[in-house]
Amino acid sequence: MKTFNRVAIVGGTHGNEFSGVYLLKKWQSSPATIRRATFETETLFGNPNAHRDNKRYLDCDLNRQFLLHDLADPELGNYEQSRAKAINLQLGPKGNARTDLIIDLHNTTSNMGPTLILLKADAFNTQLAAYVAERMEDAVILFEDHCTVEEHFFLCSIADQGIIIEVGPQPQSVIRQDVLDWMEDMTSHILDFVELFNNNEVPELPDTISAYRYTETLKLPEDENGERIGMVHKNVQDADFTPLRNGDPIYTLFSGEEICWDGDYEAYPHFINEAAYYDNNLAMSLGKKVEIAVIKN
Amino acid sequence: MKTFNRVAIVGGTHGNEFSGVYLLKKWQSSPATIRRATFETETLFGNPNAHRDNKRYLDCDLNRQFLLHDLADPELGNYEQSRAKAINLQLGPKGNARTDLIIDLHNTTSNMGPTLILLKADAFNTQLAAYVAERMEDAVILFEDHCTVEEHFFLCSIADQGIIIEVGPQPQSVIRQDVLDWMEDMTSHILDFVELFNNNEVPELPDTISAYRYTETLKLPEDENGERIGMVHKNVQDADFTPLRNGDPIYTLFSGEEICWDGDYEAYPHFINEAAYYDNNLAMSLGKKVEIAVIKN
């Protein structure tokens, strides 16, 4: 069984998501909080310049820059593209990383609560999900395993095991105590689990866990010039992980007209009306509700 | 009795407060919505460049640039200071404005609902407050009449009558339908009231209204270097216009310590944890609950 020797916790990958930035500061003054006996824990401030300017990013989204061919492309030289290469050097290199697990701390303006985003459904991740879910009643488990870890462009995909802690609702550039507490609790449970996993002391876990699996991303209504002509319907706003069925209203156009969802499955929207998605006129992600087998060793 | 001949509705005074910007767009395509028989209604996009860059402002907060001596100071030449002079020329000049009433549309990340901010408690404003409160059960009336209209630095203080519609909670750079609907409803009721006022047809109103009156602004906890060392306590988060009493927890330091409010009155916090206030390390505003006499003609 794999042992985790080096874990990295990353905050401030997006400069205006404050919880991770403040947790890093907190852990700097109380490093024992994130220390465990069987592995090293390091912290990394993902995008300090974007945080200084109180923006998500300066030139482009840092958390989309970690594809192997982009990391290898010397032509990609703006701030975040350069920062990605530096982070890959520090924690990676991707494909053969010296870091075994990366935990990347994020906030969303969506009402997603404390969501654990996992990139694969192997023994480690399914056991981790079950462990965290049993200890945090508000925790949501979301698998984004529609591609391999290597094919993901996320920062945490540098390591063989990458996790995103995504907590909301929190406006950009704000610290909410409830959100900060959730993020700190979830991080702490993950570190505890890695310690148990390393020691082969993972407690009895259920055979399956309830989770969501990403399926697709929806765009906001646009006219022929790509201009936004509508918004998320008020019934859907804040209803992250609440089922959306064929025919349910999903958008309201500024003209007043309601647009209904035309889908052939029971969808579970999340990242609903996320502020950062407006750059690309995205409205929300959809997922399916799934029961995932917990893979025991 | 004064008659209102010209009313201006301003949106996008802060570039990342989207509701006003989208309402202006909507009214451009359906101008009849804001047209009334007895007065002219014009619209103004306060800070288009900040909206283009998806920021509150480029150089400084536009809604703090309307003091008479600042408007007259040729040394103040950055983008917002220049924009303030241009707006003053267009709607003002302050002190002798060609616009009789300015309605300035704002969003807040705080849980303030649809709040009508009034700068004086004269016949027009108290009757307006009573009229709106009777027609919108969620409406909150807030008087910021601790100084004269001329002494205010707000955009809407250009006119003799200036009103701020402040609606939240809405993250920066997002459109929520509920918030948009509230803002549109409140604007519409105000225009209806002005029409009735002009026609001397204001309906029977109560003798007093329940409202809040601004008292002071509180700062987030800081260390001796002015660095933020704490956040709004989770009991206070989202509890806008809920009473805060001496000894109630108000901040949580990142160290975990709770700080309680040391005050000699029953305070009603609002603008709690507003994102835009972080620039100045402000935590919230406080007010007192008041019964205001409706001044009948």
Side-chain angles (χ1 to χ4, degrees), chain A residues 224-253:
Chain A
E224 58 278 10
N225 304 317
E227 189 153 356
R228 218 175 288 145
I229 56 167
M231 59 193 156
V232 170
H233 192 279
K234 61 186 173 187
N235 291 6
V236 177
Q237 178 70 48
D238 302 330
D240 295 74
F241 302 113
T242 301
L244 180 74
R245 299 190 178 90
N246 186 42
D248 285 346
I250 183 167
Y251 304 118
T252 303
L253 302 190

Side-chain angles (χ1 to χ4, degrees), chain B residues 106-145:
Chain B
H106 285 263
N107 291 125
T108 173
T109 65
S110 309
N111 187 26
M112 286 172 63
T115 296
L116 183 62
I117 301 181
L118 302 170
L119 306 187
K120 48 187 172 183
D122 61 1
F124 172 73
N125 284 279
T126 57
Q127 290 181 34
L128 170 66
Y131 180 87
V132 170
E134 279 194 336
R135 280 151 188 84
M136 288 184 73
E137 60 173 342
D138 296 310
V140 176
I141 311 298
L142 174 62
F143 285 92
E144 296 200 5
D145 58 351

Side-chain angles (χ1 to χ4, degrees), chain B residues 239-252:
Chain B
D240 295 75
F241 301 113
T242 301
L244 181 74
R245 299 191 177 88
N246 186 44
D248 286 346
I250 183 167
Y251 305 118
T252 303

Side-chain angles (χ1 to χ4, degrees), chain A residues 18 22 25-26 109 171-177 180-181 227-228 231-234 237-238 252 254 273 275 278, chain B residues 18 22 25-26 109 171-177 180-181 227-228 231-234 237-238 252 254 273 275 278:
Chain A
F18 278 16
Y22 277 83
K25 274 191 202 178
K26 180 171 180 173
T109 65
Q172 296 176 338
S173 313
V174 157
I175 312 168
R176 287 181 63 109
Q177 189 185 354
L180 197 75
D181 288 351
E227 189 153 356
R228 218 175 288 145
M231 59 193 156
V232 170
H233 192 279
K234 61 186 173 187
Q237 178 70 48
D238 302 330
T252 303
F254 298 128
N273 212 8
Y278 277 55
Chain B
F18 278 17
Y22 277 83
K25 276 192 202 178
K26 181 171 180 172
T109 65
Q172 295 175 340
S173 311
V174 157
I175 312 169
R176 288 181 62 107
Q177 189 185 354
L180 197 75
D181 288 349
E227 189 152 358
R228 219 175 286 144
M231 59 194 154
V232 168
H233 192 280
K234 61 186 173 189
Q237 178 71 46
D238 301 330
T252 303
F254 298 127
N273 212 11
Y278 278 56

